[in-house]
């Protein structure tokens, strides 16, 4: 390869890496108040807060819609329900080795 091709390849690779890093979601814990009020419930020993049309697990008085998937009232009423975490960052399964 010529030297100029290496320079172009490196700059494209660096641009791709930096664009991935900028789009990473952060776990931002918020109060989740709508119009100055909150709507909380406790089911099967777990606390939830209603926000934006979904129920989120309430941890230390806050919720994180960027970290947890919202659930419906039917889902949280099931005794075995566990709040689903949203995976952020990385390349998913393609970033892992194929060797188990």
């Amino acid at each position: 390869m010529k030297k100029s091709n290496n320079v172009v390849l490196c700059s494209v690779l660096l641009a791709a890496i930096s664009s991935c890093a900028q789009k990473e979601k952060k776990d931002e814990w918020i109060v989740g108040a709508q119009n100055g009020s909150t709507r909380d419930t406790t089911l099967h020993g777990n606390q939830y807060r209603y926000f934006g049309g979904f129920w989120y697990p309430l941890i230390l008085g806050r919720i994180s819609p960027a970290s947890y998937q919202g659930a419906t009232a039917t889902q949280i009423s099931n005794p075995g329900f566990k709040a689903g975490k949203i995976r952020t960052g990385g390349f998913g399964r393609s970033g892992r080795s194929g060797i188990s």
Side-chain angles (χ1 to χ4, degrees), residues 2-97:
K2 293 182 182 178
K3 194 173 191 177
S4 62
N5 287 345
N6 287 338
V7 171
V8 171
L9 181 62
C10 288
S11 62
V12 169
L13 184 60
L14 288 175
I17 291 171
S18 67
S19 68
C20 288
Q22 293 172 357
K23 293 181 182 182
E24 188 174 314
K25 284 187 176 182
K26 294 183 180 178
D27 297 343
E28 294 183 23
W29 291 85
I30 60 172
V31 174
Q34 292 179 326
N35 300 324
S37 64
T38 58
R39 188 169 139 200
D40 298 349
T41 190
T42 302
L43 290 169
H44 308 290
N46 298 314
Q47 294 181 326
Y48 299 95
R49 177 164 291 165
Y50 190 78
F51 178 74
F54 294 101
W55 292 94
Y56 294 94
L58 187 60
I59 301 171
L60 299 173
R62 294 179 174 258
I63 62 171
S64 181
S67 302
Y68 290 93
Q69 294 175 345
T72 64
T74 305
Q75 289 172 321
I76 65 171
S77 65
N78 291 331
F81 174 76
K82 299 279 185 204
K85 282 197 140 197
I86 297 173
R87 294 186 71 188
T88 59
F91 293 104
R93 292 182 186 263
S94 65
R96 295 185 187 153
S97 170

